[in-house]
């Protein structure tokens, strides 16, 4: 850059440096780019960018922090100055954030309604770029038996979510009732025709086996749809 050396964050006035700003004024005082810069720690001399510049490049490419959170390592590494190490650091931070938001639902605890299910799963599912279909197994008092079972990953179709795979887990755990949970990567939880068709097929299979299908909850970005709450389970 015209023979000039890179001006790093250390060259900034102390009150403008992200770390000092956080310590003096709190994390809420920092911009998204400044928070990311603290995670990245350094820029890259070869590209002549500081950590804040690098953070801004990430935000320009992925639009929001949520966009960065949902990016794969390969996508992050396409940003000049972001290698595998920085990509891993970013993914670790966003995973910590997701886990801190996730409300614990332990075996033996009762299913209390769709809102509680949404709060439990939203952090885990909302940033995924592919649809994931989960089965939650409950006992005869609607208490959680074990961790949810992932049945499929990809666009929801009858060939991917088949009653055989779903109810194999049900039989293995002697579940008396089930909940279905899946995400819409678009962020819009409105049920598709395929969602309704698959739910109907699974309900019919459950009736034949004497297993109650309580709900199918679709999670989007910050909102959800419960087919049971909307009267769409019949």
């Amino acid at each position: 850059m015209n023979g000039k050396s890179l001006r790093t964050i250390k060259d900034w006035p102390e009150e403008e440096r992200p770390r000092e700003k956080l310590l003096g004024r709190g994390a809420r005082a920092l911009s998204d780019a400044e928070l990311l810069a603290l995670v990245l720690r350094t820029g890259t001399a070869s590209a002549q960018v500081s950590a804040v510049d690098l953070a801004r490049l990430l935000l320009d490419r992925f639009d929001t922090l949520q966009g960065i959170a949902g990016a794969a390592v390969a996508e992050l590494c396409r940003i000049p100055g972001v290698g595998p190490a920085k990509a891993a650091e970013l993914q670790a931070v966003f995973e910590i954030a997701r886990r801190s938001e996730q409300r614990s639902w332990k075996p033996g605890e009762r299913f209390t309604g769709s809102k509680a299910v949404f709060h439990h799963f939203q952090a885990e599912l909302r940033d995924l770029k592919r649809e994931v279909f989960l089965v939650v197994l409950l006992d005869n008092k609607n208490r959680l038996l074990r961790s949810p079972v992932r049945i499929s990953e990809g666009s929801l179709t009858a060939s991917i979510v088949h009653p055989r795979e779903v109810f194999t887990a049900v039989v293995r755990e002697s579940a008396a009732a089930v909940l279905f949970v899946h995400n819409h990567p678009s962020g819009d939880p409105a049920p598709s025709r395929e969602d309704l068709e698959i739910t109907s097929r699974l309900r019919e299979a459950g009736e034949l086996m004497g297993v109650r299908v309580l709900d199918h909850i679709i999670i989007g970005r910050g909102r959800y749809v419960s087919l049971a709450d909307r009267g769409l389970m019949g």
Side-chain angles (χ1 to χ4, degrees):
M1 296 180 61
N2 300 322
K4 296 180 180 179
S5 61
L6 173 66
R7 184 171 181 264
T8 68
I9 291 174
K10 290 181 179 179
D11 299 319
W12 296 8
E14 186 169 327
E15 68 275 8
E16 294 181 15
R17 300 174 197 168
R19 182 182 295 115
E20 284 74 12
K21 188 174 177 181
L22 183 149
L23 293 173
R25 297 166 55 188
R28 291 182 180 274
L30 273 64
S31 68
D32 290 350
E34 289 170 330
L35 288 169
L36 283 172
L38 285 176
V39 176
L40 296 167
R41 292 176 298 152
T42 61
T44 172
S46 61
Q48 294 288 293
V49 294
S50 68
V52 172
D53 295 327
L54 196 54
R56 289 172 180 153
L57 285 173
L58 284 161
L59 288 167
D60 286 343
R61 168 63 179 81
F62 297 104
D63 296 326
T64 63
L65 290 175
Q66 288 78 16
I68 299 171
V73 168
E75 292 177 298
L76 294 171
C77 289
R78 293 193 190 108
I79 302 298
V82 178
K86 288 189 186 300
E89 289 164 359
L90 288 168
Q91 290 214 327
V93 165
F94 285 117
E95 181 60 24
I96 289 171
R98 277 189 284 268
R99 294 187 187 188
S100 70
E101 288 182 50
Q102 190 169 324
R103 295 190 182 180
S104 176
W105 188 8
K106 298 176 182 177
E109 293 183 355
R110 285 177 59 87
F111 162 61
T112 58
S114 60
K115 187 174 182 180
V117 174
F118 167 68
H119 284 307
H120 176 76
F121 287 106
Q122 66 158 335
E124 175 185 349
L125 298 179
R126 70 185 176 202
D127 295 323
L128 300 181
K129 292 190 173 182
R130 303 184 70 186
E131 292 189 35
V132 170
F133 189 90
L134 305 175
V135 177
V136 181
L137 306 172
L138 307 171
D139 66 13
N140 59 1
K141 294 184 178 179
N142 295 346
R143 296 176 300 198
L144 184 67
L145 287 173
R146 52 155 291 181
S147 300
V149 179
R150 181 178 292 202
I151 298 298
S152 71
E153 182 174 339
S155 297
L156 237 57
T157 64
S159 61
I160 290 179
V161 181
H162 192 281
R164 180 177 58 251
E165 281 70 37
V166 172
F167 287 96
T168 293
V170 172
V171 171
R172 184 171 57 243
E173 299 294 333
S174 299
V178 293
L179 299 166
F180 305 131
V181 181
H182 89 276
N183 63 306
H184 279 181
S186 67
D188 180 2
S192 67
R193 178 177 56 82
E194 290 80 8
D195 295 336
L196 298 176
E197 289 177 352
I198 289 167
T199 304
S200 178
R201 294 179 70 240
L202 293 175
R203 281 189 71 252
E204 290 172 1
E207 288 174 2
L208 289 172
M209 299 184 65
V211 176
R212 291 174 292 120
V213 176
L214 301 181
D215 202 350
H216 183 172
I217 296 163
I218 304 168
I219 293 177
R221 186 170 297 283
R223 52 202 178 107
Y224 72 99
V225 167
S226 159
L227 299 193
D229 292 351
R230 290 198 176 185
L232 298 173
M233 292 294 292

